[in-house]
Amino acid sequence: MGKILTLVYTARNDDYSPDFIQRLETTLNLNVENILNLKLQNQIEIIIIDWGSEFKKRLSKKIFLNKKNKIVNIHYVSPKVSKNYSNKWPNFFNESAAYNLGIKKAKSKFVLYTQHDSFFSKSGFYNLISLLNNKYEVKNFEENLYYIPTKFLNINFYKKSPSLDSINYHIEKHDHTFHKIKPSSFNVTSGQGAILLSKKNWIKLSGFREKWNRFSIDTDLFFRSSRLFKKVNTLYFGINVYTLSRSNLKEKLTKRIEKIIKYPR
């Protein structure tokens, strides 16, 4: 039986943020742990496109996975090649070309686009695979555009550098302590955590536009895909993506929310 889902991440190890490697490692290990616990390793793959890391800093040599597995595959694109495809893009990082490469390499029926520090909980993966196996009997489920909203980890909880078990426990037992950003915004960093399409519809859409056009790539993708496919919010199926991002914007947002919501300790 072929795989049903591919998660595509893009990244470059260029000191973009001081905890970049830690966040990517945590994301991958959380995903792998939850996939293995659900025995879904034959149905899900994770592809990382390493877009232009220096050879000595390439992710395949810097990322440590807790368990040996065939779920995670890292594809390296050298700085020379990545720059050739990144003319006029900020910092020579053509995310669109990187994601399109990941989509092309996907060996599954459905392909999911998200950020490198976003992951699924155990129940999230279970519900997601149930959806893609059409156990919820969604009409024309293979033709839909599924957008997956984000929930941010409590910044104070994440600053304690919790273990994978602690993160999973915190999510499964205290999901109400997380804030869901409303999915009305079309920018991943503003609240829309992931976009899911069948691979044939990614091809029909021609993936991401690789020419720099000032708009965020997910905004452009969402508007183009929503004209062709029916939009479905996966929150109705208990599916959302969690992020480990610690950007100043999200930290300020979390602090603002904490004034309203009292988080259990």
Side-chain angles (χ1 to χ4, degrees):
M1 182 177 67
K3 296 185 185 299
I4 193 169
L5 175 65
T6 300
L7 277 64
V8 176
Y9 296 96
T10 65
R12 182 171 68 193
N13 187 16
D14 59 358
D15 301 319
Y16 175 74
S17 65
D19 60 349
F20 163 75
I21 292 295
Q22 178 189 353
R23 284 189 288 121
L24 181 56
E25 273 187 355
T26 302
T27 296
L28 293 176
N29 281 310
L30 279 165
N31 280 332
V32 168
E33 182 83 12
N34 293 333
I35 290 169
L36 291 176
N37 285 341
L38 290 167
K39 295 181 169 55
L40 294 174
Q41 60 268 30
N42 294 325
Q43 297 189 58
I44 301 175
E45 66 173 350
I46 298 173
I47 290 177
I48 304 171
I49 302 299
D50 183 349
W51 191 257
S53 295
E54 294 295 333
F55 186 74
K56 292 183 179 180
K57 292 185 176 182
R58 63 194 189 278
L59 297 174
S60 59
K61 298 297 181 182
K62 297 295 182 179
I63 297 298
F64 173 77
L65 297 178
N66 294 342
K67 296 181 179 179
K68 290 184 177 180
N69 66 86
K70 296 182 180 180
I71 299 169
V72 178
N73 296 290
I74 301 176
H75 300 275
Y76 177 65
V77 179
S78 70
K80 181 179 179 180
V81 173
S82 65
K83 284 183 179 180
N84 286 338
Y85 284 90
S86 301
N87 187 32
K88 296 183 180 180
W89 280 75
N91 301 315
F92 294 101
F93 193 95
N94 187 339
E95 284 187 284
S96 292
Y99 276 116
N100 284 343
L101 178 60
I103 293 167
K104 183 179 180 180
K105 289 183 174 294
K107 299 176 182 178
S108 60
K109 194 172 184 178
F110 291 88
V111 181
L112 185 145
Y113 147 78
T114 190
Q115 299 295 298
H116 71 270
D117 58 358
S118 296
F119 67 95
F120 287 92
S121 65
K122 185 176 178 180
S123 60
F125 270 126
Y126 178 86
N127 293 336
L128 184 55
I129 294 301
S130 295
L131 172 65
L132 299 184
N133 282 317
N134 204 25
K135 292 185 178 180
Y136 299 129
E137 299 182 351
V138 178
K139 186 177 180 180
N140 298 322
F141 80 102
E142 292 184 13
E143 300 301 321
N144 294 328
L145 158 65
Y146 297 98
Y147 63 98
I148 305 174
T150 296
K151 289 188 178 182
F152 299 121
L153 283 175
N154 181 316
I155 194 68
N156 292 324
F157 171 73
Y158 179 61
K159 281 182 176 178
K160 297 177 182 178
S161 300
S163 65
L164 300 185
D165 288 340
S166 295
I167 293 174
N168 273 324
Y169 178 84
H170 200 61
I171 289 173
E172 300 295 341
K173 299 299 181 181
H174 302 291
D175 192 55
H176 61 280
T177 68
F178 293 85
H179 175 69
K180 177 180 72 64
I181 305 300
K182 293 180 180 179
S184 57
S185 172
F186 299 136
N187 189 302
V188 167
T189 57
S190 297
Q192 186 176 314
I195 294 175
L196 173 69
L197 290 165
S198 66
K199 184 167 182 179
K200 70 175 183 178
N201 280 347
W202 279 107
I203 295 171
K204 183 177 180 180
L205 192 64
S206 298
F208 292 89
R209 286 179 174 165
E210 297 186 13
K211 185 177 180 180
W212 172 244
N213 63 10
R214 294 182 179 274
F215 292 101
S216 63
I217 65 171
D218 45 328
T219 299
D220 176 77
L221 176 76
F222 190 92
F223 278 120
R224 287 192 296 117
S225 58
S226 61
R227 293 191 188 105
L228 295 176
F229 314 117
K230 179 183 177 182
K231 300 188 295 294
V232 176
N233 186 341
T234 61
L235 193 61
Y236 299 118
F237 304 102
I239 303 167
N240 57 261
V241 66
Y242 293 89
T243 182
L244 297 172
S245 179
R246 296 176 62 182
S247 69
N248 292 332
L249 175 63
K250 291 168 186 174
E251 184 167 352
K252 289 178 182 178
L253 181 60
T254 304
K255 288 180 178 179
R256 194 184 312 155
I257 294 163
E258 286 178 333
K259 293 180 181 179
I260 305 172
I261 304 173
K262 184 176 181 181
Y263 293 89
R265 303 300 179 189

